[in-house]
Amino acid sequence: MNALGKHLLLELKDCDKEVLNDLNFLRGALLAAARECGATVLGDSFHQFSPHGVSGVVIIAESHLFIHTWPEYGYAAADIFTCGDSVQPERAAQELTRKLGSKNHSIVEVRRGILDSC
Amino acid sequence: MNALGKHLLLELKDCDKEVLNDLNFLRGALLAAARECGATVLGDSFHQFSPHGVSGVVIIAESHLFIHTWPEYGYAAADIFTCGDSVQPERAAQELTRKLGSKNHSIVEVRRGILDSC
């Protein structure tokens, strides 16, 4: 079944709580994950929240990677949305899961844009 | 069942093809959708692709809105990810669907961060 996009939804639980509140670390991890899957990075934007938590996006030519963290719960939600056959989002998912030290994670893959004409 | 985040995945088919390739229109539509649901906008980033297609994100204090368009298919994938009870992401979804003129759309709601401790 052909689809225009592949969207991985990562539930990352029991992560290292310190890194979940470290904007620079998370930015580096998301950029590394983007490169790991073979994506072309176009830009990024990260925000630190008070008293804790970080949101960040890396925009890639093949779509995007996103992360939202809740350090107080050791939890992060991450999305890896890619299109085209030149990238391997599963590799980005592995890289991110490892770097955040998640001891309990799940991944749901959603095919986006399943069209009769594509 | 408590969850930290609510994530709406919008499949917007049979849209107005012209607006799907109009970066300024899409930026305005996504920002309006963010405001419509009561979110606090922190920033945005949009990219025009060649020969067609636009990717854009609006980062909100309550998480994010994202859109990727394929004008050649009249299709857009949009995400509305929110946390907290102060925003109504369904209103943003309605606003976006209407503005893009989608005649065939579906929405999947995913609860993110279902934790024993939250």
Side-chain angles (χ1 to χ4, degrees):
Chain A
M1 196 157 55
N2 286 333
L4 295 173
K6 185 189 283 190
H7 190 174
L8 303 185
L9 310 181
L10 282 69
E11 292 283 292
L12 304 175
K13 302 178 183 178
D14 298 335
C15 296
D16 181 333
K17 291 186 177 183
E18 279 193 21
V19 307
L20 292 189
N21 207 33
D22 185 336
L23 184 148
N24 288 330
F25 179 92
L26 293 169
R27 180 172 180 267
L30 221 62
L31 286 167
R35 290 190 203 100
E36 180 69 24
C37 73
T40 302
V41 174
L42 297 179
D44 69 272
S45 180
F46 283 75
H47 292 264
Q48 179 90 45
F49 293 99
S50 177
H52 35 55
V54 174
S55 283
V57 60
V58 172
I59 300 180
I60 56 178
E62 302 81 4
S63 291
H64 75 265
L65 293 85
F66 225 111
I67 192 164
H68 299 291
T69 73
W70 282 260
E72 67 274 35
Y73 294 116
Y75 167 76
D79 283 25
I80 302 167
F81 190 136
T82 61
C83 56
D85 298 325
S86 65
V87 288
Q88 298 172 289
E90 296 81 3
R91 292 183 64 169
Q94 285 176 345
E95 172 81 3
L96 206 54
T97 303
R98 187 182 63 77
K99 283 218 168 136
L100 270 57
S102 173
K103 294 177 188 66
N104 176 9
H105 76 280
S106 63
I107 302 176
V108 172
E109 178 181 324
V110 181
R111 297 287 175 128
R112 304 291 294 267
I114 298 173
L115 308 175
D116 296 336
S117 52
C118 75
Chain B
M1 196 158 54
N2 287 332
L4 295 173
K6 185 188 282 191
H7 191 173
L8 303 185
L9 310 182
L10 282 70
E11 293 282 292
L12 303 175
K13 301 177 182 177
D14 299 334
C15 295
D16 180 334
K17 290 186 178 183
E18 279 193 21
V19 306
L20 293 188
N21 206 34
D22 185 335
L23 184 148
N24 289 331
F25 179 92
L26 293 169
R27 181 171 178 269
L30 221 60
L31 286 167
R35 289 190 205 99
E36 180 68 25
C37 74
T40 302
V41 174
L42 297 178
D44 69 272
S45 179
F46 283 76
H47 292 264
Q48 179 89 47
F49 293 99
S50 177
H52 33 57
V54 174
S55 283
V57 60
V58 172
I59 301 179
I60 57 177
E62 301 80 5
S63 293
H64 75 265
L65 291 85
F66 225 110
I67 192 164
H68 301 289
T69 72
W70 281 261
E72 67 274 36
Y73 295 116
Y75 167 76
D79 284 24
I80 301 167
F81 190 136
T82 60
C83 55
D85 298 325
S86 64
V87 288
Q88 297 171 290
E90 296 81 4
R91 293 183 64 169
Q94 285 176 345
E95 171 79 5
L96 206 54
T97 302
R98 187 181 64 78
K99 283 217 166 137
L100 269 57
S102 172
K103 294 178 187 67
N104 176 9
H105 76 280
S106 62
I107 302 177
V108 173
E109 178 180 324
V110 181
R111 296 286 175 128
R112 304 292 294 266
I114 298 174
L115 308 176
D116 296 335
S117 54
C118 76

